[in-house]
């Protein structure tokens, strides 16, 4: 067994060396970390009933990825499911390397019984993120796990080293098998309300975290659920926010914090209460029926089990959440992945080259519920060729750049393989306008962006007067409150084909997404790496 593992590592090292030496100049202090994962179905009991879950190396949730800024990750994924499979890396920017993003538009699926080795660098990044399966509504079955990217040893971090570092994956959950949920959506119907909330893959009081009195710990909280915003709190303890999706924040203390679907936060918690057990509490926000779940914070010298009422949180109060969101700002004096202050990039002094307004769309098409953006509901290419692969080989007829407009047109919803063109080095403004009575959550692969403004009502050019052009938080997933708008700035410095999607997963599955093609006519590895030697080919690219 040991010889087999050694041989595998040698093959992966040789493969990675050939790949990198041919394409990329990597600094000598950027090590490789190797992972060998087998994806299977297995029985899980998160809410007390047996159901089929997606396991990675037999684990639900999957194993954490531990890494350091600029590490090269080599992740060999064996697909032992009876269907195609892909993993995506929520928040990892894949600098110049969208071929590794692991979504429909960039990668051919891993066929059943086959494997694919992702090779990517966590270039110039720190922070808390997660991975998840991106195809076929697999996310409702598991297959997700935490990603942490630590700062390099010589880069100062704006808080003392915590005594421990915990991943906390929270999300709404269905007892129903994911393939049944997918069939409901395929039939044109909507999903029912979720059955519960999981904390690290467990139901009420199923997960626990052991701590020592007087010490301070870091908790990396990610909402890996399918739809709902969640509020996180710890009985009797305060949460000091220190990082959001790769950005060190102004260290504000909260009694609870909203984590919208797809988002990640890091908080420090000091164990300054009497020695006993305390509730972690997580509950849905903005829902008429409130789901709540708990885990246990266990002091190592605890004299009492968890007891008392579960700490209550905000439920439908939108203003509470908006006010909290506006306090989340960048710590301008803290170093990020490099030894320079995060505030040294003066985004507020750059001229915007383009404004894009995105509005959710919905309609019944061919007797089925569909969702879209700006009147376009995304559908894959007929022959299944990934957009990035088609772009690389110059295969015509797969997609049309400009098939989704920059703003809503007022026309009815149409089906198309939606791709929006954009220029490398552009600096753009995107306004998400929410005309619904739900909280929306949007994510962009390949980038962080500055959240410069949010407010109620409709956006207008006059809204720019209220923008935060100094210390807006930089992140990759943003919420948009009911009948409100959120504005972001993005520096388009990462060539590739990047998925912009709702994190409301049923809507994403039903077309509420598109691809942003960041393009330069100059074909140089300085701007974008060539297609990996091990890339899977499918559709018209396979012929």
């Amino acid at each position: 067994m040991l010889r087999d593992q050694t041989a595998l590592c040698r093959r992966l090292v040789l493969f990675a060396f050939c790949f990198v030496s041919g394409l990329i100049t990597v600094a000598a202090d950027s090590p490789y970390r190797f992972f060998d994962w087998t994806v299977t179905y297995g029985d899980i009991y998160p809410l007390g009933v047996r159901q089929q879950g997606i396991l990675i190396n037999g684990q639900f949730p999957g194993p954490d990825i531990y890494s350091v800024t600029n590490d090269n990750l080599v992740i060999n994924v064996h697909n032992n499911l009876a269907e195609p499979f892909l993993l995506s890396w929520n928040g990892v920017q894949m600098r110049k390397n969208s071929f590794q993003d692991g979504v429909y538009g960039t990668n051919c699926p891993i066929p059943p019984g086959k494997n694919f080795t992702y090779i990517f660098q966590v270039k110039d990044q720190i922070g808390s993120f997660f991975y998840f399966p991106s195809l076929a509504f697999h996310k409702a079955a598991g297959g997700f796990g935490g990603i942490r990217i630590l700062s390099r040893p010589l880069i100062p971090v704006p808080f003392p080293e915590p005594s421990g570092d915990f991943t906390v994956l929270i999300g709404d959950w269905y007892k129903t098998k994911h393939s049944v949920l997918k069939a409901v959506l395929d039939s044109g119907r909507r999903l029912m309300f979720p059955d519960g909330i999981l904390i690290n893959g467990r139901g009420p009081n199923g997960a626990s975290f052991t701590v020592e009195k007087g010490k301070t710990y870091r908790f990396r909280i990610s909402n890996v659920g399918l739809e709902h915003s969640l509020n996180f709190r710890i009985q009797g303890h305060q949460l000091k926010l220190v990082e959001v999706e790769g950005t060190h924040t102004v260290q504000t203390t909260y009694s609870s914090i909203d984590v919208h679907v797809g988002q990640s936060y890091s908080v420090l918690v000091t164990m300054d209460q009497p020695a006993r057990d305390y509730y972690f509490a997580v509950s849905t926000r903005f829902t008429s029926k409130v789901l709540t779940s708990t885990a246990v914070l266990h002091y190592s010298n605890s004299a009492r089990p968890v007891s008392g009422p579960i700490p209550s949180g905000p439920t439908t109060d939108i203003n509470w959440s908006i006010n909290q969101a506006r306090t989340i700002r960048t710590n301008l004096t803290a170093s990020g992945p490099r030894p320079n202050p995060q505030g040294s990039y003066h985004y507020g002094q750059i001229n915007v080259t383009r404004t894009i307004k995105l509005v959710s769309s919905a309609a019944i098409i061919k007797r089925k519920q569909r969702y879209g953006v700006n009147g376009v509901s995304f559908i894959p290419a007929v022959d299944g060729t990934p957009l990035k692969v088609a772009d690389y080989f110059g295969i015509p007829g797969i997609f049309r750049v400009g098939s989704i407009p920059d703003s809503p047109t007022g026309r009815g919803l149409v089906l198309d393989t939606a791709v929006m063109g954009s220029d490398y080095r552009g600096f753009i403004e995107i306004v998400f306008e929410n005309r619904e009575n739900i909280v929306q959550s949007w994510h962009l692969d390949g980038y962080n962006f500055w959240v410069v403004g949010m407010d109620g009502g409709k956006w207008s050019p006059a809204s720019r007067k209220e923008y935060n052009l100094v210390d807006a938080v930089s992140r990759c997933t943003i919420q948009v409150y009911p009948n409100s708008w959120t504005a972001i700035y993005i520096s388009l410095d990462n060539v590739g084909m990047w998925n912009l999607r709702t994190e409301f997963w049923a809507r994403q599955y039903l077309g509420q997404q598109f691809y942003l093609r960041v393009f330069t006519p100059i074909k140089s590895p300085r701007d974008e790496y060539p297609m990996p030697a091990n890339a899977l080919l499918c559709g018209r690219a396979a012929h």
Side-chain angles (χ1 to χ4, degrees), residues 464-535:
R464 296 188 179 112
K465 296 177 182 177
E466 306 300 322
Y467 281 5
N468 178 356
L469 300 182
V470 178
D471 61 353
V473 70
S474 174
R475 63 186 313 168
C476 59
T477 309
I478 188 59
Q479 74 275 17
V480 191
Y481 292 99
N483 301 300
S484 301
W485 57 266
T486 296
I488 64 175
Y489 281 173
I490 311 172
S491 178
L492 297 179
D493 61 354
N494 194 14
V495 174
M497 188 78 71
W498 303 109
N499 189 221
L500 196 159
R501 61 178 177 265
T502 177
E503 289 286 350
F504 187 153
W505 212 243
R507 291 188 173 199
Q508 179 272 348
Y509 180 78
L510 296 176
Q512 197 161 79
Q513 60 174 309
F514 66 91
Y515 283 83
L516 186 69
R517 179 182 184 248
V518 181
F519 178 76
T520 176
I522 300 172
K523 303 296 183 183
S524 168
R526 292 175 300 177
D527 299 328
E528 183 179 29
Y529 302 143
M531 179 180 286
N534 70 326

Side-chain angles (χ1 to χ4, degrees), residues 132-208:
F132 69 96
S134 63
L135 301 180
F137 222 63
H138 285 148
K139 192 180 182 187
F144 45 73
I147 301 173
R148 64 184 66 177
I149 308 175
L150 304 178
S151 296
R152 288 176 289 174
L154 298 180
I155 307 298
V157 175
F159 49 85
E161 181 74 17
S163 297
D165 196 331
F166 296 103
T167 294
V168 185
L169 304 176
I170 60 178
D172 49 9
W173 188 260
Y174 290 91
K175 295 178 181 177
T176 305
K177 188 177 179 180
H178 80 280
S179 58
V180 175
L181 298 175
K182 176 177 174 293
V184 169
L185 296 174
D186 289 340
S187 71
R189 294 173 290 154
R190 300 182 183 183
L191 298 183
M192 66 294 285
F193 193 73
D195 295 303
I197 295 171
L198 303 189
I199 303 174
N200 283 358
R202 306 291 185 267
N205 290 348
S208 64

Side-chain angles (χ1 to χ4, degrees), residues 111-130:
K114 302 295 183 179
N115 73 298
F116 174 71
T117 303
Y118 293 89
I119 303 175
F120 57 89
Q121 186 179 29
V122 287
K123 176 68 174 171
D124 290 337
Q125 284 194 264
I126 59 166
S128 309
F129 310 98
F130 64 92

